[in-house]
Each structure stands twice: as structure tokens, then as C-alpha cells.
């Protein structure tokens, strides 16, 4: 009886940590979206704005790479004891973590290389420069990946909240 209560408390704690980490992930991506939309109004240099956004995004991507494995562990520890299916949610965590990894470990370094190869500040470069065009394209892809892993995190929060509630198998539930 005591072991069962301890296991239940441990599983409950794992579910709380799981939802908190997902909420932080989702909130960080939301913050990025807010900053990304306004940084051009506050910072006069496109080059400095890009540096700020890349720094913020690299921190979010790194946090997501740490959060992914933690979320998988808390998913298993929190929901397996109450016998809730977790396969789809585990797949969502893996997908979101992979998207963050692609963004932070492949696209961000490539953009940094291209900006260094540009040899000047972005606003001083010719708008038709192939390097600048590729930098802008990579930034758009990066924004899409960030949006995708933020949306997956939001869906996982909803799924976690729904899975935490006991379900009635029959009868009318009010």
C-alpha cells in the first residue's frame, strides 16, 4: 500500500515536470515569435537584429535538445503507471527534438558561415547577392522549423493535460 502511494506520487511528480518543461518550450518559441516580429523596429541594423535572433534561437534549440530526452523519461515515468497510451506523444517529442536539432545544429551554423563569407554587414550587401539570398532562405526555413517544433510542443501540452484526466468507460459523463 505504501509502495503504491509512493509510486503514484512519483508518477504525479513526473507528469508535473513533463507539463512544465513542455510549457517552457512552447513559451520560448512564443517569445521568439514575438521578438522576431519586433526586433527590426527596435534595432536599426539588420545585421545586429539577425545576430540577436540567431542567439535567441540557438538557446531555444539547445534547451529543446536537453528537454527532449527529459520529456521522454517523464512521459514514461508519469503516464505508464496509469496505463495511458504514450506512443504518439513519444513520437511527437522525438519529432520536435529532431526539428530543433536540425535548426540549431545544421541551419544555424550554415547561416553563420554564409554571413561570414558575405564579408560585410547584411544591410551593406547587394540585395541580389546569392549569399544574402541563401541567408534569407535559410532564415525562413529556420523560422518554419521553429514554428513546427513550437506547435508540436503546444499539441503535446494539450495531449498531456487530456491524458492526465481519468476516463469513464461507460455511462454519461457530465
Amino acid at each position: 500500500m505504501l509502495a503504491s502511494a509512493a509510486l503514484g506520487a512519483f508518477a504525479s511528480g513526473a507528469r508535473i515536470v513533463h507539463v512544465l518543461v513542455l510549457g517552457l518550450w512552447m513559451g520560448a518559441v512564443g517569445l521568439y515569435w514575438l521578438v522576431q516580429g519586433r526586433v527590426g523596429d527596435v534595432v536599426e541594423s539588420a545585421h545586429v537584429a539577425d545576430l540577436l535572433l540567431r542567439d535567441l534561437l540557438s538557446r531555444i534549440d539547445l534547451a529543446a535538445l536537453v528537454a527532449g530526452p527529459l520529456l521522454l523519461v517523464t512521459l514514461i515515468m508519469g503516464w505508464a503507471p496509469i496505463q495511458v497510451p504514450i506512443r504518439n506523444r513519444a513520437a511527437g517529442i522525438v519529432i520536435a527534438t529532431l526539428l530543433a536539432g536540425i535548426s540549431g545544429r545544421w541551419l544555424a551554423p550554415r547561416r553563420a558561415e554564409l554571413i561570414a563569407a558575405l564579408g560585410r554587414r547584411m544591410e551593406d550587401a547587394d540585395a541580389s547577392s546569392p549569399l544574402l539570398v541563401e541567408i534569407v532562405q535559410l532564415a525562413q526555413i529556420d523560422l518554419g522549423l521553429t514554428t513546427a517544433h513550437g506547435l508540436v510542443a503546444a499539441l503535446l501540452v494539450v495531449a498531456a493535460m487530456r491524458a492526465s484526466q481519468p476516463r469513464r468507460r461507460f455511462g454519461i459523463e457530465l
Side-chain angles (χ1 to χ4, degrees):
M1 175 84 174
L2 186 59
S4 176
L7 183 61
F10 188 72
S12 179
R15 288 192 299 273
I16 290 169
V17 169
H18 184 84
V19 172
L20 286 173
V21 170
L22 279 172
L24 287 171
W25 187 343
M26 183 180 64
V29 171
L31 173 67
Y32 177 77
W33 261 95
L34 291 173
V35 170
Q36 184 267 341
R38 299 290 302 178
V39 73
D41 299 338
V42 177
V43 179
E44 294 180 14
S45 167
H47 187 78
V48 173
D50 186 69
L51 284 173
L52 289 170
L53 289 172
R54 278 189 295 139
D55 183 59
L56 178 58
L57 188 56
S58 71
R59 292 170 191 263
I60 292 170
D61 290 336
L62 180 60
L65 290 176
V66 171
L70 176 65
L71 288 169
L72 285 172
V73 168
T74 56
L75 178 69
I76 292 166
M77 293 168 58
W79 277 273
I82 59 173
Q83 300 173 346
V84 172
I86 59 174
R87 182 180 314 159
N88 291 340
R89 290 172 45 210
I93 292 168
V94 169
I95 289 168
T97 305
L98 286 174
L99 292 174
I102 291 168
S103 172
R105 301 295 165 238
W106 182 70
L107 286 178
R110 179 68 181 142
R111 273 179 60 204
E113 287 174 13
L114 292 173
I115 290 170
L118 196 57
R120 62 180 72 93
R121 298 170 70 85
M122 290 172 49
E123 59 267 14
D124 296 337
D126 179 24
S128 64
S129 164
L131 285 176
L132 190 59
V133 169
E134 189 173 353
I135 291 167
V136 170
Q137 287 174 342
L138 287 177
Q140 291 170 342
I141 292 169
D142 215 358
L143 182 61
L145 289 175
T146 303
T147 301
H149 70 76
L151 288 174
V152 171
L155 291 172
L156 288 169
V157 168
V158 171
M161 299 308 291
R162 292 191 69 215
S164 296
Q165 300 171 356
R167 303 262 189 261
R168 288 183 58 158
R169 299 201 186 272
F170 55 87
I172 299 172
E173 188 171 349
L174 300 176

